[in-house]
Amino acid sequence: MKVADYKDIVFERKPPIGWVTLNRPDKLNALTLTMMEEISDVMDKLWDDEEIRVLVIIGAGDRAFCAGADITMFQGQKPNSIFHIIRKIVDVTQKVEKFPKPVVAAINGFALGGGCEIAISCDFRIASEKAQFGQPEIRLGIIPGAGGTQRLSRLIGLGRAKELCMLGDRIPADEAYRIGLVNKVVPADKFREEVENFANRLAEGPPIALKMAKYACNFGTQVPLDIGLLLESGVFGVLFGTEDMVEGTTAFLEKRKAKFTGK
Ligand code: COA
C-alpha cells in the first residue's frame, strides 16, 4: 500500500515491512535534499507504527542503490551552504541509527559516496552480486562528508576505510563481503526475494529486544567499554519486564516457536 506521494522516493507500507525505494533511476538514484526529507518523513510516520517491524531501503531500477549525492547540488555553493546541505544528509543517517526498528539497505548496484554512507548507517546490508561500493569523493578533490570516514573506519577498520576513502576505488560485492562491509551477497535474479526473506526473519523477532540490541550496539560502542557494558546490563534488565521475554522463554520450554508481539 502506498501511503503518500513523494517526489524522489516511493514508499510502500506492506506490514511487517516498510519499503523505501530511492527513485531517480535515470540519475542512478543520486540523492537530493528532497529525497532526504522524504526518507525522514517516512521514518516519522513509521516510528510508532507497530505493524511495521522492519524498514528496507532499496534503489529503483537494476543499476544502482544510490550513486551518491547529486553532484549538481554542490555547484556554485558557498562553504557555509555546503555545511548545511551535508548536515541534512548526516541528519538522515543519524535518524536511521536512532530509528527504533531494524533498517536493511538492499543494494542492487552502485552504492557510492553518499549512497554508501546511507547504506552503512543502516543496520544490515544485503548486496546483489552485481553491487559495487566506493567512496569516490577523493577523485572530485573532496572527502566523504556524510559519515564515510567515521562509520567505515568503525565498520571495516581504519586500514580498509582509508583505502576506500583515499584511493576512491570501487569494490565489487564479493570484496565488500570479504572486508565486512556487507552482511550477505545474493544472486541478482533472487535479490528481492532474498531481501524479503531477510527482512521477514527480522520481523519475526521481539521488537523491543531488537530495538535495545540496535541501540546498545550503535550507542554503547561510542562510549568507554565500562559505560557501554553498564548500558547493556541496564537494557538487559529492562527486557525482563516485557511480555515477549515471558513468551520467548515459555516457548523455548514448550518446544514451540515464539510469537512475539512487541509488548
Ligand atoms: N550526481 C549527479 N548525477 C549522477 C550521479 C551523481 N552522483 N551519478 C550518476 N549521475 C547521473 C549521470 O550524470 C548520468 O546522467 P545523464 O544521463 O543525464 O548524463 C546518469 O546518472 C547515468 O550515469 P552515467 O555516468 O552516465 O553512468 P555510467 O554507467 O557511465 O557510470 C558511475 C556510472 C556510477 C560510475 C558514474 O555515474 C559516476 O561516477 N557517478 C558519480 C559517483 C560519485 O562520484 N559519487 C559521489 C558524489 S559526491
Coordinates of all heavy atoms in Angstrom, one line a residue, residues 2 4-11 19-24 32 34-42:
K2 N 0.6 2.2 -0.9 CA 1.3 3.4 -1.0 C 0.6 4.4 -0.1 O -0.6 4.5 -0.1 CB 1.2 3.9 -2.4 CG 2.5 4.5 -3.0 CD 2.4 4.7 -4.4 CE 2.7 6.1 -4.8 NZ 2.5 6.4 -6.2
A4 N 1.8 7.8 0.7 CA 2.0 9.2 0.5 C 2.6 9.4 -0.9 O 3.3 8.5 -1.3 CB 2.9 9.8 1.6
D5 N 2.4 10.5 -1.5 CA 3.1 10.7 -2.8 C 4.3 11.5 -2.5 O 4.3 12.6 -2.1 CB 2.1 11.5 -3.7 CG 1.2 10.5 -4.4 OD1 1.7 9.4 -4.8 OD2 0.0 10.9 -4.6
Y6 N 5.4 10.9 -2.8 CA 6.7 11.6 -2.7 C 7.3 11.8 -4.1 O 6.9 11.2 -5.1 CB 7.6 10.7 -1.9 CG 7.2 10.5 -0.4 CD1 6.9 9.3 0.1 CD2 7.3 11.6 0.4 CE1 6.5 9.2 1.4 CE2 6.9 11.5 1.8 CZ 6.5 10.2 2.3 OH 6.2 10.1 3.6
K7 N 8.3 12.7 -4.1 CA 8.9 13.0 -5.4 C 10.1 12.1 -5.8 O 10.2 11.5 -6.9 CB 9.3 14.5 -5.4 CG 9.9 15.0 -6.7 CD 10.1 16.5 -6.6 CE 11.0 17.0 -7.7 NZ 12.4 16.7 -7.4
D8 N 11.0 12.0 -4.8 CA 12.3 11.3 -5.1 C 12.3 9.9 -4.5 O 13.4 9.2 -4.7 CB 13.5 12.1 -4.7 CG 13.6 13.3 -5.6 OD1 13.0 13.4 -6.7 OD2 14.4 14.2 -5.3
I9 N 11.3 9.5 -3.8 CA 11.2 8.1 -3.3 C 9.8 7.5 -3.6 O 8.9 8.3 -3.9 CB 11.5 8.0 -1.8 CG1 10.4 8.7 -0.9 CG2 12.9 8.6 -1.4 CD1 10.5 8.3 0.5
V10 N 9.7 6.2 -3.4 CA 8.4 5.6 -3.4 C 8.4 4.9 -2.0 O 9.4 4.2 -1.6 CB 8.2 4.6 -4.5 CG1 6.9 3.8 -4.3 CG2 8.2 5.3 -5.9
F11 N 7.3 5.1 -1.3 CA 7.2 4.4 0.0 C 6.0 3.4 -0.1 O 4.9 3.8 -0.5 CB 7.0 5.4 1.1 CG 6.6 4.7 2.4 CD1 7.3 3.7 2.9 CD2 5.4 5.1 3.1 CE1 6.9 3.0 4.1 CE2 5.0 4.5 4.2 CZ 5.8 3.4 4.7
W19 N 8.8 -0.3 2.8 CA 9.8 -0.3 1.7 C 10.0 1.1 1.2 O 9.0 1.8 0.8 CB 9.3 -1.1 0.5 CG 9.2 -2.6 0.7 CD1 8.2 -3.3 1.3 CD2 10.2 -3.6 0.4 NE1 8.5 -4.6 1.3 CE2 9.7 -4.9 0.8 CE3 11.5 -3.5 -0.2 CZ2 10.4 -6.0 0.6 CZ3 12.2 -4.7 -0.4 CH2 11.7 -5.9 0.0
V20 N 11.2 1.6 1.3 CA 11.5 2.9 0.7 C 12.4 2.7 -0.5 O 13.4 2.0 -0.4 CB 12.3 3.8 1.7 CG1 13.0 5.0 1.0 CG2 11.5 4.3 2.8
T21 N 11.9 3.1 -1.7 CA 12.6 3.0 -2.9 C 13.2 4.3 -3.3 O 12.4 5.3 -3.5 CB 11.8 2.4 -4.0 OG1 11.2 1.1 -3.6 CG2 12.6 2.1 -5.3
L22 N 14.5 4.4 -3.4 CA 15.1 5.6 -3.9 C 14.8 5.7 -5.4 O 15.2 4.8 -6.1 CB 16.7 5.6 -3.6 CG 17.1 5.3 -2.2 CD1 18.6 5.2 -2.0 CD2 16.4 6.2 -1.2
N23 N 14.2 6.7 -5.8 CA 13.5 6.7 -7.1 C 13.9 7.7 -8.1 O 13.1 8.5 -8.5 CB 12.0 6.7 -6.9 CG 11.2 6.3 -8.1 OD1 11.7 5.4 -8.9 ND2 10.1 6.8 -8.3
R24 N 15.2 7.7 -8.5 CA 15.7 8.5 -9.6 C 16.6 7.7 -10.5 O 17.8 7.9 -10.6 CB 16.5 9.7 -9.0 CG 15.7 10.6 -8.1 CD 16.6 11.8 -7.6 NE 16.8 12.8 -8.7 CZ 18.0 13.4 -8.9 NH1 19.1 13.1 -8.2 NH2 18.2 14.2 -9.9
T32 N 19.1 13.6 -3.3 CA 18.8 15.0 -3.3 C 18.3 15.4 -1.9 O 18.0 14.5 -1.1 CB 17.6 15.3 -4.2 OG1 16.5 14.5 -3.8 CG2 17.9 14.9 -5.7
T34 N 15.5 16.7 -1.2 CA 14.1 16.3 -1.2 C 14.1 14.8 -0.8 O 13.2 14.4 0.0 CB 13.5 16.5 -2.6 OG1 13.6 17.8 -2.9 CG2 12.0 16.0 -2.6
M35 N 14.9 14.0 -1.4 CA 15.0 12.6 -1.0 C 15.2 12.4 0.5 O 14.6 11.6 1.1 CB 16.1 11.9 -1.9 CG 16.1 10.4 -1.8 SD 17.5 9.7 -2.7 CE 16.9 9.7 -4.4
M36 N 16.2 13.2 1.0 CA 16.5 13.1 2.4 C 15.3 13.5 3.3 O 15.0 12.8 4.3 CB 17.7 14.0 2.8 CG 19.0 13.6 2.1 SD 19.6 12.0 2.6 CE 19.0 11.0 1.2
E37 N 14.6 14.6 2.9 CA 13.4 15.0 3.6 C 12.3 13.9 3.6 O 11.6 13.6 4.6 CB 12.8 16.3 3.1 CG 13.6 17.5 3.5 CD 13.3 18.7 2.6 OE1 12.3 18.7 1.8 OE2 14.2 19.6 2.6
E38 N 12.2 13.3 2.4 CA 11.1 12.2 2.3 C 11.5 11.0 3.1 O 10.6 10.4 3.7 CB 11.0 12.0 0.8 CG 10.3 13.2 0.1 CD 10.2 13.0 -1.4 OE1 10.8 12.1 -2.0 OE2 9.5 13.8 -2.0
I39 N 12.7 10.6 3.1 CA 13.1 9.4 3.9 C 12.8 9.7 5.4 O 12.3 8.9 6.1 CB 14.6 9.0 3.7 CG1 14.8 8.6 2.3 CG2 15.0 7.9 4.7 CD1 16.3 8.3 2.0
S40 N 13.2 10.9 5.8 CA 13.0 11.3 7.1 C 11.5 11.3 7.5 O 11.1 10.8 8.6 CB 13.5 12.8 7.3 OG 13.4 13.2 8.6
D41 N 10.6 11.8 6.6 CA 9.2 11.8 6.8 C 8.7 10.4 6.9 O 7.8 10.1 7.8 CB 8.5 12.5 5.6 CG 7.1 12.7 5.9 OD1 6.7 13.5 6.8 OD2 6.2 12.2 5.1
V42 N 9.2 9.4 6.1 CA 8.7 8.0 6.2 C 9.1 7.5 7.6 O 8.2 6.9 8.3 CB 9.4 7.2 5.1 CG1 9.2 5.7 5.4 CG2 8.8 7.5 3.8

